Structure formats: structure tokens, C-alpha cells
């Protein structure tokens, strides 16, 4: 039907706008209802409102000039990640000194039902690995491929030979902090084969069963350990610290930071420590083959270069990487001071009231420095800080190796800000600020302000920021409580009464 007048045209425009808003509201409602299971769609929708596109912005090249070309950015990051690795030297250390795979221990066996169970749990929204086998394809063909895949797994485990495709990784650079134009401020996350990861889960169970009772995984580690988390790390560590502070003693806390910890793990040193574990020879030979001959390539917006060798480290993003890092990270051996670890984040504390107390802390730092040299690990002295606690703390200087450690008035510990007075007001400010920014993003990007839309978004995105480890840093001052409640009231005001309404 043609438009015969201006009034008809205006009515048609209003009708189109109304239908567009309804469609948009329906899309937003669907995103909100599925936010817990599919955050990727939410962030893709939010990203469509931004002016910038792509995960990696301009980077500084070797000429200190900004480049926006995806191929060149991939080349810059690929070169930087490769420079971090230890170069192979000397004769490779065998993982075990006796027998061949399968000799001296029961032959590994993998059941097809167990493979089927893992294939059925695959997340179809995840990306495929370098072998281009998408999880959705594997999940839909589970009844057909479960038995042959189980046979492949069992043969690989028994022979100690890992398929080459399972030793390749597409690296996704993830920004950490600092200047986004600096390639050094990105962390390499490896996307490996889906099938390879499933077999890694079997190997991981074999490692954990073999380590049971061997005292390899120490109580100081709170990452990649069942029943441990950031919260348990913070509570157990600072419970000891505050106990002595309440007695009027002075405490020094040293926050230690490894440089490229996961990438600098020496394969030879790791294999030596694996040989001392109570593991079957088949498992150890398989791990040796899994570590040797790995390759990776950086992928940015579909652009990638040729494969480069990985001569050290354990891949971040793999199943076995965390447990292997825990095995080599026995940094607390012989340490007299209190120590807690969360993956590579390590903190050490000790009483600092007397010169003898401070000498104990310094001796432990010397011991840690020696351990790092022996295991080819490197402490980032510029990021290692000392927090002096206690009213009469002498603020004694400490050194790590040849570098003097800087003192700090506050430090972010596993996402929680700790200051020299053990006052949590700074943490309350940070949590409220971050939650407010997320709430503003929701307000800006979502037209619908109905209860059905705002409540799921608030519960999944805003509330966790307000409650992260709150059992540890729970606000005690009225002004801090008010900061957090102000964010919740702001979210409540966003919800309009009645049926779904549009702005």
C-alpha cells in the first residue's frame, strides 16, 4: 500500500520504529535469560555498540610505530612470545630411567563410555582447535566416534606417542594490564585440540592418583587444587597475619611475582621432578612426548603465521598445564616464614619485630632466589613489593637476589586491595566503581528496563563484582556499606514498573 500523505508516512515510520523496538526488546530479553550459560553472546552484543572493533588494538612495532594490520600484529606477538622461551641446551633428560612405556605398571585402559560422557559435555559455543574439529561436530557424532576415539586414546597412552595435531596450539593474546600498545602486556592463551584435551583429562586423573600420599602438591598451593580458591588463600594467609598483629607484633608481607612463569618452565627440570613421582612409566613417557616438539602460532582476526617451536613452558589453557606447574613449583621447600601460593602468585610473611625476625625473612628470600636460579625461573623484581604492617614497624629493606624490593602502602592481592592499615575502604571503593561501570554499560546498551532483563544481568554481571571474596573483606564501616548499597539502589531504579517498557 503506497503512502499518500505526510500523515500516512509518519504513521508508517512510527509503526516501523515500534516493531524495531519490539524485536530489539525480544533479543535483549533472550540475551538476559541466557546470560549465565552464554556470556559470549552478551559481550558480542555489547561490543557492537563500541566504536573499536577486534580484540587487539594497534601495537607498537620494532620501529616504535603503531600498526593496525592484523597480519603484522600477529607477527609482533608471535615473535615476542617465542623470545620468552628457554632455548634448548644440553642433552634432553629422559622422563624415566628404566623400562619402556607400559613396562612395570598396569597397561592403561580407557573405556568408551567414559569418552562418550566427556564428548556429550562439550560446549558447542567453544572454538575448534588447530585440527579444526569443532566441538559441535564431535558432540553430534558421539555415538559413532566414541569407541574409535577411546582406542586412539588408549594406543597413545600405551605407546607414549602424542599425535602432532595435539601438540599444536592457536594462541589468543589476552591483555593483562599496562599499555595496550605494548606486546609485552599480553598473555598467550593456547587453544588446543578438543580431543587432545579430553585425553589430557585422563592423564590428569592418572597423575593425581599417582601423587596421592606423595606430598607433592603442598598445602600452600590454592590454585588448581580441589576445594581451594582465592578465598581460601586470602582467609588462611591473613588469618595468620592478623593473629600476630592483634598481639601487637610487626609483620612484613612480601608479594612475589614470577616473570612469564608458565612460559619459562624448563622441560628438563619438570621431567626430572616427574621421574621422582609415583607415576606409571606409560604416563611419564606420554608426558615427555607431550612436552617435546610443541608448536604454536598467534591468531588475530583469522590471520596467522607459520608455526614456531615451543622449547619451554606448559601451555596456558591446557588441562595438564596447571597440574604440571604445581609439580615444578616447589618453591616453599625449606622456607621458615609463612607462605601461600595461587598458581604463580606467591606471598611470604614473617614477624619483623626484632633483627633476628628480619634475618629469617631475608634468608628465606635468598633461598627463593637460589631456587629460581636452579629451576631457570625468574622473579620480576620490579613487581615484587613489601607491605609493612604494624604501628611500630621499622620498615626494614629487603633484597631479592641483587635487587632491593620496593615498599608499598597498598597492594592488590588476588583482586582484593590490602593496605598498610588492613583497612578495606579502598577495596570497597574499587568494587563499587567497577560494578557501577558495568551497570552503566547495561543502561547504555539495553533499551529494555524490565525486571526480566535487568535482574538476570545484574545477578550475573554486577553482583559478583560486589561480592567477590566478600567473606574476607566484608565492609565494617557504615560509609563503605553505603557505597555498595548505592550500586544496588541504582540498579533498582533502572527497573520500570509494570510490563516491559522501552525508552
Amino acid at each position: 500500500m503506497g503512502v499518500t500523505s505526510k500523515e500516512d508516512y509518519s504513521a508508517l515510520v512510527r509503526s516501523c520504529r515500534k516493531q524495531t523496538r519490539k524485536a530489539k526488546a525480544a533479543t535483549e530479553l533472550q540475551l538476559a535469560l541466557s546470560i549465565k550459560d552464554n556470556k559470549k553472546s552478551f559481550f558480542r552484543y555489547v561490543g557492537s555498540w563500541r566504536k573499536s572493533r577486534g580484540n587487539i588494538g594497534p601495537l607498537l612495532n620494532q620501529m616504535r610505530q603503531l600498526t593496525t594490520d592484523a597480519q603484522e600484529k600477529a607477527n609482533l606477538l608471535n615473535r615476542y612470545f617465542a623470545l620468552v622461551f628457554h632455548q634448548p641446551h644440553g642433552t634432553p633428560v629422559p622422563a624415566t630411567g628404566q623400562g619402556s612405556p607400559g613396562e612395570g605398571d598396569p597397561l592403561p585402559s580407557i573405556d568408551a563410555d567414559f569418552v562418550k560422557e566427556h564428548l556429550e559435555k562439550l560446549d558447542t559455543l567453544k572454538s575448534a582447535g588447530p585440527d579444526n574439529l569443532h566441538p559441535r561436530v564431535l558432540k553430534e557424532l558421539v555415538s559413532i566416534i566414541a569407541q574409535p576415539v577411546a582406542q586412539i586414546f588408549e594406543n597413545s597412552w600405551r605407546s607414549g606417542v602424542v599425535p602432532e595435531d595435539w601438540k599444536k596450539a592457536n594462541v589468543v593474546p589476552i591483555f593483562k594490564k599496562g599499555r595496550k600498545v605494548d606486546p609485552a602486556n599480553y598473555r598467550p592463551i593456547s587453544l588446543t585440540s578438543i580431543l587432545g584435551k579430553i585425553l589430557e583429562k585422563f592423564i590428569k586423573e592418572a597423575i593425581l592418583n599417582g601423587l596421592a600420599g606423595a606430598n607433592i602438591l603442598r598445602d600452600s598451593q590454592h590454585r588448581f587444587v580441589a576445594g581451594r580458591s582465592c578465598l581460601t588463600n586470602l582467609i588462611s594467609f591473613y588469618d595468620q597475619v592478623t593473629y600476630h598483629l592483634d598481639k601487637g607484633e610487626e609483620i612484613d608481607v612480601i608479594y612475589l611475582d614470577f616473570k612469564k612463569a608458565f612460559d619459562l618452565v624448563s622441560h628438563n627440570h619438570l621431567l626430572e621432578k616427574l621421574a621422582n613421582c609415583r607415576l606409571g612409566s606409560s604416563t611419564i613417557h606420554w608426558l615427555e612426548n607431550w612436552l617435546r616438539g610443541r608448536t604454536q602460532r598467534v591468531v588475530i582476526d583469522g590471520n596467522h603465521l607459520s608455526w614456531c617451536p615451543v622449547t619451554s613452558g606448559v601451555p596456558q589453557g591446557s588441562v595438564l598445564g596447571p597440574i604440571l606447574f604445581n609439580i615444578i613449583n616447589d618453591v616453599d621447600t625449606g622456607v621458615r616464614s609463612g607462605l601461600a601460593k595461587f598458581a604463580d602468585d606467591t606471598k611470604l610473611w614473617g614477624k619483623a619485630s626484632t633483627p633476628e625476625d628480619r634475618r629469617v625473612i631475608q634468608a628465606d628470600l635468598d633461598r627463593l632466589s637460589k631456587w629460581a636460579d636452579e629451576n631457570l625461573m625468574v622473579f620480576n623484581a620490579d613487581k615484587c613489593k613489601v607491605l609493612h604492617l604494624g604501628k611500630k614497624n621499622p620498615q626494614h629493606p629487603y633484597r631479592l637476589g641483587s635487587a632491593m624490593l620496593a615498599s608499598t602502602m597498598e597492594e592488590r592481592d588476588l583482586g582484593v586491595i590490602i593496605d598498610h592499615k588492613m583497612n578495606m575502604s579502598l577495596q570497597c571503593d574499587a568494587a563499587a566503581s567497577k560494578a557501577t561501570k558495568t551497570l552503566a554499560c547495561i543502561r547504555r546498551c539495553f533499551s529494555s528496563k524490565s525486571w526480566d532483563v535487568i535482574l538476570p544481568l545484574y545477578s550475573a554481571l554486577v553482583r559478583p563484582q560486589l561480592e567477590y571474596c566478600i567473606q574476607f573483606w566484608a565492609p565494617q564501616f557504615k560509609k563503605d556499606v553505603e557505597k555498595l548499597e548505592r550500586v544496588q539502589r541504582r540498579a533498582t531504579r533502572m527497573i520500570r514498573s509494570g510490563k516491559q517498557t522501552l525508552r
Side-chain angles (χ1 to χ4, degrees):
M1 180 177 179
V3 179
T4 58
S5 65
K6 183 178 180 179
E7 289 75 12
D8 292 340
Y9 173 77
S10 298
L12 185 60
V13 169
R14 289 193 296 270
S15 177
C16 289
R17 288 176 178 172
K18 184 177 180 180
Q19 294 300 320
T20 301
R21 289 173 179 171
K22 284 185 177 181
K24 186 178 181 181
T27 300
E28 293 176 350
L29 178 60
Q30 182 61 34
L31 284 174
L33 295 178
S34 61
I35 183 66
K36 289 187 177 181
D37 300 324
N38 187 13
K39 290 186 179 181
K40 183 182 292 186
S41 296
F42 167 81
F43 288 109
R44 186 185 298 117
Y45 179 80
V46 171
S48 66
W49 289 79
R50 298 175 180 173
K51 294 181 180 180
S52 60
R53 292 292 183 267
N55 295 326
I56 308 297
L59 295 176
L60 284 174
N61 58 22
Q62 293 175 320
M63 305 299 295
R64 309 306 295 174
Q65 297 175 339
L66 289 176
T67 178
T68 57
D69 180 70
Q71 189 81 5
E72 187 174 354
K73 289 191 292 184
N75 185 33
L76 286 171
L77 290 167
N78 208 41
R79 186 185 304 115
Y80 173 75
F81 293 150
L83 288 175
V84 173
F85 299 132
H86 289 305
Q87 297 304 315
H89 61 279
T91 304
V93 177
T96 181
Q98 58 181 0
S100 56
E103 185 177 331
D105 60 333
L107 289 178
S109 177
I110 298 178
D111 187 73
D113 291 336
F114 204 39
V115 174
K116 183 178 180 181
E117 178 183 353
H118 282 79
L119 289 175
E120 289 176 341
K121 292 180 180 179
L122 290 177
D123 186 352
T124 58
L125 299 176
K126 298 291 185 179
S127 301
D131 54 6
N132 293 322
L133 291 178
H134 198 278
R136 181 172 182 179
V137 175
L138 297 174
K139 189 172 184 177
E140 291 184 354
L141 297 177
V142 60
S143 59
I144 301 175
I145 66 174
Q147 182 60 47
V149 166
Q151 188 63 49
I152 293 173
F153 285 175
E154 188 170 313
N155 290 341
S156 174
W157 195 356
R158 290 189 178 191
S159 65
V161 177
V162 182
E164 292 300 318
D165 283 347
W166 296 357
K167 296 196 287 185
K168 294 181 178 180
N170 287 333
V171 172
V172 178
I174 302 297
F175 175 71
K176 297 184 292 183
K177 59 182 178 180
R179 301 178 63 200
K180 289 189 175 182
V181 296
D182 187 355
N185 292 330
Y186 288 84
R187 175 186 291 111
I189 300 299
S190 300
L191 296 180
T192 56
S193 168
I194 302 295
L195 291 179
K197 283 185 177 180
I198 295 178
L199 180 53
E200 287 178 42
K201 293 179 180 179
F202 290 102
I203 304 296
K204 179 182 176 181
E205 290 300 321
I207 293 175
L208 292 176
N209 292 335
L211 296 181
N215 197 28
I216 300 298
L217 302 180
R218 294 167 174 79
D219 291 337
S220 59
Q221 180 61 260
H222 288 257
R223 178 66 168 149
F224 314 126
V225 179
R228 303 291 187 89
S229 64
C230 292
L231 182 61
T232 61
N233 180 293
L234 292 170
I235 290 179
S236 62
F237 182 82
Y238 288 102
D239 179 63
Q240 303 173 64
V241 171
T242 54
Y243 171 78
H244 290 277
L245 288 176
D246 291 341
K247 293 170 62 177
E249 297 174 327
E250 282 67 50
I251 299 295
D252 284 342
V253 179
I254 294 91
Y255 298 91
L256 302 170
D257 183 81
F258 283 106
K259 182 182 294 184
K260 306 296 181 184
F262 281 78
D263 297 326
L264 289 180
V265 171
S266 169
H267 291 168
N268 284 352
H269 287 75
L270 176 57
L271 290 171
E272 285 180 354
K273 294 184 179 183
L274 284 171
N276 297 325
C277 298
R278 301 172 182 175
L279 302 178
S281 59
S282 296
T283 301
I284 295 181
H285 277 90
W286 191 94
L287 289 170
E288 179 181 10
N289 194 268
W290 184 79
L291 289 169
R292 309 286 192 191
R294 299 193 66 86
T295 56
Q296 69 178 35
R297 62 182 180 184
V298 175
V299 180
I300 298 179
D301 299 333
N303 295 272
H304 54 75
L305 301 174
S306 58
W307 299 97
C308 68
V310 177
T311 55
S312 68
V314 290
Q316 298 184 65
S318 65
V319 176
L320 287 176
I323 186 67
L324 294 180
F325 183 82
N326 279 357
I327 290 174
I328 197 172
N329 187 19
D330 54 357
V331 65
D332 45 349
T333 302
V335 173
R336 296 171 59 188
S337 303
L339 187 142
K341 299 180 293 186
F342 190 83
D344 59 326
D345 290 327
T346 305
K347 50 183 176 282
L348 178 145
W349 76 273
K351 293 189 291 184
S353 302
T354 66
E356 178 60 29
D357 292 335
R358 298 188 286 272
R359 280 194 290 270
V360 170
I361 296 178
Q362 184 58 63
D364 286 335
L365 290 175
D366 294 339
R367 188 175 290 105
L368 295 181
S369 180
K370 181 180 179 181
W371 177 93
D373 292 338
E374 292 174 349
N375 289 271
L376 302 182
M377 302 291 283
V378 180
F379 281 110
N380 193 341
D382 293 337
K383 294 184 179 179
C384 296
K385 306 290 184 181
V386 182
L387 182 65
H388 302 285
L389 303 175
K391 295 181 179 180
K392 298 181 180 180
N393 196 301
Q395 300 193 6
H396 178 76
Y398 298 96
R399 70 178 187 278
L400 184 62
S402 59
M404 296 302 297
L405 300 182
S407 298
T408 182
M409 300 297 285
E410 61 189 53
E411 184 69 13
R412 185 179 292 273
D413 186 3
L414 301 181
V416 178
I417 300 177
I418 310 294
D419 71 359
H420 67 291
K421 295 182 179 179
M422 294 296 288
N423 187 323
M424 295 303 169
S425 293
L426 290 177
Q427 171 61 24
C428 290
D429 291 341
S433 175
K434 190 174 182 180
T436 299
K437 291 178 181 178
T438 303
L439 201 58
C441 179
I442 294 173
R443 177 193 293 274
R444 182 172 60 253
C445 299
F446 280 75
S447 299
S448 175
K449 299 298 184 296
S450 74
W451 176 272
D452 292 338
V453 172
I454 300 301
L455 183 59
L457 294 177
Y458 173 82
S459 300
L461 302 175
V462 181
R463 186 173 177 179
Q465 295 175 353
L466 297 174
E467 297 181 349
Y468 170 74
C469 288
I470 198 170
Q471 296 90 338
F472 166 68
W473 61 268
Q476 298 178 352
F477 299 115
K478 183 177 180 180
K479 63 182 182 66
D480 293 333
V481 175
E482 177 63 24
K483 293 173 188 174
L484 304 183
E485 292 183 346
R486 193 178 299 126
V487 179
Q488 301 184 66
R489 289 196 296 268
R490 188 175 290 114
T492 303
R493 288 195 296 268
M494 287 176 59
I495 303 174
R496 298 176 181 176
S497 59
K499 296 182 179 180
Q500 190 178 50
T501 58
L502 304 172
R503 64 181 179 185

